[in-house]
Amino acid sequence: MITGWFTGEGDGFRLLGTRCASCASVFFPREDVHCRNPHCAGGTLEETPLSRTGRVWSYTDTRYRPPSPYVSDAELPWEPYALIAVELAAERIVVLGQAAPGITVADLAVGMEVEAVEGVLQGVGETTATWNWRPTGATS
């Protein structure tokens, strides 16, 4: 699991970011040291659950195995997957993530609503909990 980046299960699943108490800027991945806003003198950074839904800002698919340090089992055939950049509903920040299994670029369109769901990254001999994006109403 990527510690501190998300919490919950099912409908309670949320990405976790941080919000600056001084300027209200929101960050993902989380920031625990200083406010990244160059116009802010800095304030306390508070953990905050992010919007579960957003709109597709952009998307693409992976047609080849990325080079190292990407971790994958070279013995298995490469399975393309979609990557989606999502503008979160309330925070208006863009978060990149993989599409949920079974969702391809043919299922996506800029502006469509998607939701954050639990996901798994497959590595060499290990799996890591993460998040995926799925069109709202889809059941992949």
Side-chain angles (χ1 to χ4, degrees):
M1 179 166 113
I2 305 171
T3 305
W5 284 28
F6 50 86
T7 189
E9 298 175 351
D11 289 343
F13 183 80
R14 296 287 185 279
L15 294 175
L16 295 173
T18 47
R19 182 182 309 273
C20 175
S22 179
C23 70
S25 293
V26 178
F27 307 105
F28 183 84
R30 60 183 302 127
E31 175 59 65
D32 294 316
V33 178
H34 61 85
C35 180
R36 293 183 203 151
N37 179 347
H39 303 291
C40 179
T44 304
L45 296 167
E46 302 163 346
E47 182 176 272
T48 185
L50 303 179
S51 299
R52 179 150 190 225
T53 63
R55 301 236 172 241
V56 173
W57 185 76
S58 186
Y59 60 94
T60 191
D61 61 353
T62 61
R63 290 289 173 187
Y64 62 92
R65 188 184 317 269
S68 182
Y70 184 86
V71 178
S72 68
D73 188 340
E75 300 298 317
L76 296 175
W78 177 249
E79 295 287 334
Y81 58 87
L83 288 171
I84 309 173
V86 176
E87 183 176 25
L88 298 181
E91 297 82 6
R92 307 286 312 257
I93 61 173
V94 176
V95 176
L96 183 67
Q98 288 185 7
I103 304 298
T104 69
V105 293
D107 303 312
L108 302 171
V110 169
M112 80 183 310
E113 187 177 66
V114 294
E115 61 187 339
V117 296
E118 299 162 83
V120 185
L121 289 176
Q122 301 290 333
V124 177
E126 64 183 66
T127 57
T128 302
T130 189
W131 70 95
N132 289 151
W133 294 111
R134 175 179 70 192
T136 53
T139 57
S140 68

